[in-house]
């Protein structure tokens, strides 16, 4: 063989290259399609999320920030100036806009000062006699979010004098011009020039509260009410009604209006000095730019945003002391949790696909490499007999394979990129890499034939002893492979492929493991079948059949063909079956986790009351087909230490029966909630592990703001989950809840009002 044609591809090597091209194309296009599908699903999730959750909110109390920025030489605590607020916004934007967090341009940021809702006296004429509470909402910038429809934008307020005329005290602005939204003006009967009176700061000299007059200088129409700018405080644009907590359970209370007016840039000092006594929240909002976020970036983005609350905000210069008063947060991680959970479940199937098909492809390539070596056995034997070294022979075969397979793989990658151009954008640093299937295909396609040649033409040793040793080793190796395959299938059957548990290459290769015993049996039985057919053909008069079977029985290439077909057929069949079972089981589990029962019934809105009337609950339980019905009264309870838990008050017997008929939740013993025999003894409750750890083993008094007397409880057992918290509990890996009997609750209303259910769970046959 000359140096020129040493690496010239033969026909059999070209077939190996075509096989490598097909496998590489499937790996490249499949991975890119998976990434593109995930990115499309992520962007649909982000598009459906409220605009307010697609922003970073940095908040603090205006008083705390003012105190932090004050110096000992200040005669009074100075207000947070608009220059300082802009400096804080610029520094925070630069710090947050890096890594996995993409922020919108700085022009989309805005800051806010929001007062508490203060009572208007008297109420506006359009309120219909209903009390009105009004908040002052300062926004910077404002003009790009509103359209002036009447009047003019407010002029800068003028301070009258220091409150109480004390030297060094804070300024006081008795008159402020404000803007009212068109909806606010229509609801309260306001127009340009209307005057509203709010309580101002206390006058320390005359001992009474100063009054602040708000003059409506203009009416504006909010632009894009669904934007985060308006959703951060909906009352600033559209007034709404509120009711005191507990009124639905018999507590006295009345409905009142909550609305807002807008203060413009230039009125920041007036808002703080006039209404700082009532508490003002300072906020900076930084909208996120999510249009180019890929599916692989969802997890890093969620992790980074979720950790904002625990990180220090680096401010420098004269605003550096304010950093300790600020807290950053975002609602996006909560919106991303369902997507990430679904993506982890999809990853299980994708890894099953990647690993199993990659292993199957490698096995097929090894079989093809063996066929290449056997096809050229006569040629290679002659070259070896003429004195070629084993290293040269292996390098020659590897070079020939590389000359054919490397260009084929490059073409396959290019075709895969062209076939699926939208692959979800660039991957973030640390994202899961999916290049290894292509690399593994190239390594096996190039090195496989060389290793087989090196093994086949290695220097001869003691042949009889070696044959006896191989005769002993081969059955042992085959038994080991069969046991490994059976063990992998058993582990997969027992443990399954758990979402978020990492990549298990052993169980992910389950479709190929199914083919291992079949291939071994084929290699053992195929020669026996050929010999039997050969003996049968020897008794016939035709020579072609006998000669063909005799040649097939002598060549080592023959068993590779059925093995090739078995690996492909069984791998595809096993993969399809596993995917079908996984999808079906996942749908069933997800349906139970989403509803907790066959049907969940809750009140439609607050206008229907927060509870389900007893007559309605009884009618629901008697619907034909309902076999189990359990009423639940759900509320938030607090311990003396401030621990908040979700309290689920149930009828123990009915709830235990429903849990027993529900899939995916631990059984509950109704006897565990038996009331104590001694009056005043703590009521036994069942708690989640996190709630049990927080409440401890001793008696604890739980209180709630829902017009129910405190309950003295002790944890009698733990439950990892409960149907009454289905769906919402999926957002937390370890929700904190306690289950108690309804009989342990007593209303604090006068006269006592019955504690009714605000949720019903039903199960049945149809």
């Amino acid at each position: 063989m000359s140096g020129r044609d040493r690496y010239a591809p033969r026909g059999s090597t070209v077939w190996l290259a075509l096989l490598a091209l097909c496998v590489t194309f499937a790996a490249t296009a499949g991975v890119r399609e998976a990434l593109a599908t995930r990115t499309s699903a992520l962007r649909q999730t982000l598009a459906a999320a409220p605009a307010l959750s697609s922003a970073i909110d940095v908040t603090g109390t205006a008083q705390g920030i003012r105190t932090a920025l004050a110096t000992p030489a200040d005669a009074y605590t100075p207000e947070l100036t608009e220059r300082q607020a802009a400096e804080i916004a610029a520094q925070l934007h630069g710090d947050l806009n890096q890594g996995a967090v993409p922020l919108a341009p700085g022009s989309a940021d805005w800051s806010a000062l929001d007062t508490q809702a203060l009572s208007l006296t008297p109420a506006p004429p359009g309120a219909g006699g209903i009390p009105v509470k009004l908040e002052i909402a300062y926004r910077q910038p404002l003009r790009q979010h509103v359209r002036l429809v009447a009047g003019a934008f407010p002029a800068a307020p003028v301070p009258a004098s220091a409150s109480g005329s004390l030297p060094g005290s804070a300024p006081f602005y008795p008159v402020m011009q404000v803007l009212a939204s068109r909806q606010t003006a229509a609801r309260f009967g306001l127009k340009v020039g209307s005057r509203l009176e709010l309580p101002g700061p206390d006058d320390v000299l005359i001992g009474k509260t100063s009054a602040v007059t708000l003059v409506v200088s203009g009416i504006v129409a909010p632009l894009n009410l669904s934007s985060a700018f308006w959703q951060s405080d909906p009352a600033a644009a559209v007034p709404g009604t509120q009711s005191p907590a507990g009124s639905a359970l018999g507590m006295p209370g009345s409905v009142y209006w909550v609305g807002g007016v807008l203060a413009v840039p230039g009125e920041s000092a007036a808002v703080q000095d006039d209404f700082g006594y009532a508490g003002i929240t300072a906020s900076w909002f930084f909208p996120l730019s999510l249009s180019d976020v890929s599916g692989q970036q969802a997890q890093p983005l969620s992790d980074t945003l979720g950790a904002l609350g625990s990180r220090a905000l680096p401010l420098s210069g004269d605003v550096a002391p304010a950093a300790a008063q600020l807290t950053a947060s975002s609602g996006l991680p909560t919106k991303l949790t369902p997507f990430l959970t679904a993506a982890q479940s999809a990853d299980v199937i994708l890894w099953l696909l990647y690993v199993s098909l990659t292993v199957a492809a490698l096995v097929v390539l090894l079989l093809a490499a063996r066929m290449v070596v056997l096809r050229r056995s006569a040629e290679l034997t002659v070259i070896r007999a003429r004195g070629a070294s084993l290293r040269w022979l292996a390098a020659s075969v590897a070079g020939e394979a590389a000359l054919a397979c490397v260009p084929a793989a490059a073409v396959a990658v290019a075709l895969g990129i062209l076939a699926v151009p939208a692959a979800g954008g660039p991957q973030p640093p640390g994202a899961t890499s999916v290049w290894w299937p292509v690399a593994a295909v190239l390594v096996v396609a190039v090195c496989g034939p060389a290793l087989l040649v090196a093994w086949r033409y290695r220097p001869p040793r003691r042949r009889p002893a070696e044959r006896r040793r191989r005769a002993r080793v081969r059955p042992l190796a085959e038994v080991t492979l069969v046991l490994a395959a059976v063990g992998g299938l058993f582990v997969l059957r027992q443990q399954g492929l758990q979402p978020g548990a990492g990549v298990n290459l052993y169980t992910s290769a389950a479709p190929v493991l199914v083919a291992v015993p079949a291939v071994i049996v084929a290699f053992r039985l195929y020669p026996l079948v050929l010999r039997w057919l050969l003996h049968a053909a020897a008794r016939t008069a035709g020579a072609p059949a006998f000669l063909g079977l005799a040649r097939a029985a002598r060549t080592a290439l023959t068993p590779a063909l059925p093995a090739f077909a078995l690996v492909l057929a069984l791998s595809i069949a096993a993969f399809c079956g596993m995917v079908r079972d996984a999808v079906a089981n996942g749908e069933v589990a997800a349906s139970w986790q989403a509803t907790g029962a066959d049907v969940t019934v809750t009140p439609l809105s607050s206008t229907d009351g927060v509870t389900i009337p007893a007559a309605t609950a009884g009618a629901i339980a008697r619907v034909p087909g309902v076999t189990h019905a359990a009423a639940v009264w759900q509320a938030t309870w607090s311990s003396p230490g401030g621990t908040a838990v979700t309290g689920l008050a149930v009828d123990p017997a009915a709830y235990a029966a429903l849990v027993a008929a529900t899939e995916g939740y631990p059984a509950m013993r109704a006897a565990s909630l038996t009331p104590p025999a001694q009056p005043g003894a703590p009521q036994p409750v069942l708690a989640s592990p996190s709630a049990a750890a927080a409440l401890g083993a001793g008696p604890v008094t739980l209180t709630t703001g829902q017009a129910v007397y405190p309950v003295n409880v002790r944890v009698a057992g733990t439950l990892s989950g409960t149907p009454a918290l289905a769906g919402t509990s999926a957002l937390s890996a370890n929700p904190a809840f306690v289950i108690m009997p309804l009989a342990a609750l007593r209303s604090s209303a006068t006269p006592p009002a019955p504690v009714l259910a605000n949720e019903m769970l039903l199960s049945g046959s149809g």
Side-chain angles (χ1 to χ4, degrees):
M1 180 181 295
S2 65
R4 178 182 298 179
D5 63 354
R6 177 182 303 173
Y7 299 125
R10 271 67 171 178
S12 56
T13 307
V14 173
W15 286 109
L16 178 64
L18 290 176
L19 183 61
L21 184 146
C22 295
V23 173
T24 304
F25 173 79
T28 304
V31 169
R32 291 176 64 84
E33 182 64 31
L35 294 179
T37 301
R38 173 177 292 193
T39 297
S40 176
L42 171 65
R43 291 175 182 173
Q44 290 178 13
T45 301
L46 295 176
L52 188 59
S53 64
S54 301
I56 297 177
D57 180 11
V58 180
T59 60
T61 63
Q63 184 60 38
I65 297 173
R66 294 171 65 179
T67 303
L69 297 178
T71 63
D74 292 325
Y76 73 99
T77 303
E79 66 275 354
L80 173 68
T81 66
E82 294 184 352
R83 182 198 65 80
Q84 291 173 323
E87 178 63 22
I88 291 175
Q91 293 191 27
L92 291 178
H93 184 97
D95 174 69
L96 297 173
N97 188 29
Q98 56 185 327
V101 179
L103 290 184
S107 58
D109 302 341
W110 78 92
S111 59
L113 293 172
D114 294 314
T115 70
Q116 293 183 355
L118 303 173
S119 297
L120 271 178
T121 305
I130 300 176
V132 176
K133 290 188 176 183
L134 199 68
E135 61 183 37
I136 314 299
Y138 164 85
R139 296 290 185 269
Q140 165 68 19
L142 177 65
R143 296 198 178 210
Q144 65 195 57
H145 299 281
V146 298
R147 177 173 56 86
L148 187 68
V149 296
F153 281 90
V158 178
S161 61
S163 177
S165 301
L166 290 178
S169 60
F172 171 60
Y173 300 81
V175 179
M176 283 181 58
Q177 293 185 4
V178 294
L179 297 173
S181 70
R182 190 156 51 184
Q183 294 88 336
T184 301
R187 171 57 60 188
F188 297 144
L190 304 178
K191 58 184 179 180
V192 175
S194 295
R195 305 174 73 88
L196 305 171
E197 193 168 288
L198 287 175
D202 292 337
D203 192 312
V204 296
L205 283 185
I206 62 178
K208 71 174 185 178
T209 299
S210 303
V212 178
T213 301
L214 303 179
V215 179
V216 179
S217 68
I219 308 297
V220 296
L223 302 178
N224 191 10
L225 277 174
S226 62
S227 67
F229 184 89
W230 294 109
Q231 290 302 311
S232 62
D233 184 13
V238 182
T241 58
Q242 290 188 7
S243 301
S247 60
L249 292 177
M251 294 289 289
S254 59
V255 175
Y256 57 89
W257 286 103
V258 176
V261 292
L262 298 168
V264 301
E267 296 184 312
S268 169
V271 172
Q272 295 176 70
D273 291 331
D274 281 3
F275 304 105
Y277 71 92
I280 298 176
T281 300
S283 306
W284 288 263
F285 291 88
F286 303 93
L288 296 167
S289 177
L290 303 174
S291 59
D292 295 327
V293 176
S294 68
Q296 293 294 90
Q297 293 173 307
Q299 188 66 62
L301 176 62
S302 178
D303 293 341
T304 304
L305 293 178
L308 285 177
S310 60
R311 59 167 292 193
L313 297 175
L315 296 178
S316 59
D318 61 333
V319 296
Q325 306 296 322
L326 301 177
T327 302
S329 63
S330 175
L332 192 60
T334 301
K335 304 302 179 183
L336 286 177
T337 298
F339 168 81
L340 293 174
T341 302
Q344 289 179 351
S345 300
D347 283 343
V348 171
I349 304 299
L350 291 177
W351 273 108
L352 186 66
L353 173 64
Y354 294 154
V355 174
S356 60
L357 294 188
T358 299
V359 174
L362 297 182
V363 171
V364 170
L365 285 172
L366 283 175
L367 291 173
R370 185 168 183 264
M371 295 168 66
V372 169
V373 173
L374 292 176
R375 286 281 187 184
R376 298 183 55 192
S377 60
E379 173 195 354
L380 296 174
T381 301
V382 172
I383 296 174
R384 178 69 168 149
R386 289 179 177 178
S389 67
L390 189 62
R391 181 178 300 178
W392 184 93
L393 200 63
S396 175
V397 174
E400 180 180 331
L403 188 62
C405 294
V406 172
V411 171
V413 171
L415 291 176
I417 294 174
L418 292 176
V420 189
Q427 296 185 21
T432 303
S433 180
V434 289
W435 56 265
W436 61 269
V438 176
V441 167
L442 273 179
V443 169
V444 172
V446 173
C447 299
L451 293 176
L452 292 173
V453 166
W455 175 259
R456 182 178 180 84
Y457 296 100
R458 67 192 184 280
R461 297 181 180 178
R462 292 172 295 182
R463 292 292 184 182
E466 184 179 352
R467 282 195 292 267
R468 288 194 298 269
R469 181 175 61 82
R470 291 179 61 185
R472 293 193 302 267
V473 171
R474 181 179 176 183
L476 181 61
E478 291 175 346
V479 171
T480 303
L481 288 175
V482 171
L483 292 178
V486 173
L489 296 173
F490 179 78
V491 171
L492 179 64
R493 180 67 176 176
Q494 292 297 113
Q495 299 181 1
L497 297 171
Q498 300 296 332
V503 179
N504 190 328
L505 297 178
Y506 185 35
T507 55
S508 296
V512 180
L513 297 178
V514 173
V516 170
V519 171
I520 291 176
V521 171
F523 269 102
R524 284 292 185 177
L525 295 183
Y526 202 79
L528 298 178
V529 174
L530 283 179
R531 292 193 192 105
W532 181 82
L533 292 175
L534 182 61
H535 289 306
R539 298 187 179 92
T540 64
F546 175 79
L547 293 176
L549 290 171
R551 182 178 180 183
R554 287 197 306 269
T555 179
L557 182 61
T558 303
L561 298 176
F564 187 97
L566 276 174
V567 169
L568 287 179
L570 290 177
S571 298
I572 293 174
F575 175 77
C576 294
M578 290 179 182
V579 171
R580 182 195 61 190
D581 292 342
V583 171
N585 295 336
E587 288 176 344
V588 172
S591 65
W592 284 108
Q593 292 296 325
T595 61
D598 288 328
V599 176
T600 301
V601 180
T602 55
L604 284 175
S605 64
S606 59
T607 57
D608 298 326
V610 297
T611 59
I612 301 175
T616 303
I620 292 174
R622 292 189 297 271
V623 170
V626 174
T627 56
H628 300 90
V632 182
W633 189 77
Q634 183 180 144
T636 300
W637 296 73
S638 300
S639 68
T643 301
V645 297
T646 300
L648 305 171
V650 301
D651 178 81
Y655 192 70
L658 182 131
V659 172
T662 304
E663 296 182 15
Y665 293 98
M668 171 191 146
R669 294 178 62 251
S672 302
L673 301 181
T674 302
Q678 296 181 342
Q683 166 66 50
V685 297
L686 298 175
S688 65
S690 59
L695 298 179
V700 178
T701 300
L702 297 180
T703 58
T704 181
Q706 298 296 323
V708 172
Y709 282 117
V711 179
N712 188 25
V713 303
R714 66 173 178 84
V715 178
T718 60
L719 289 173
S720 59
T722 179
L725 282 182
T728 57
S729 63
L731 302 178
S732 174
N734 191 7
F737 65 86
V738 295
I739 300 178
M740 62 184 72
L742 273 168
L745 307 183
R746 292 179 299 132
S747 170
S748 60
T750 304
V755 180
L756 303 177
N758 52 21
E759 181 182 18
M760 282 197 70
L761 303 178
L762 308 174
S763 65
S765 57

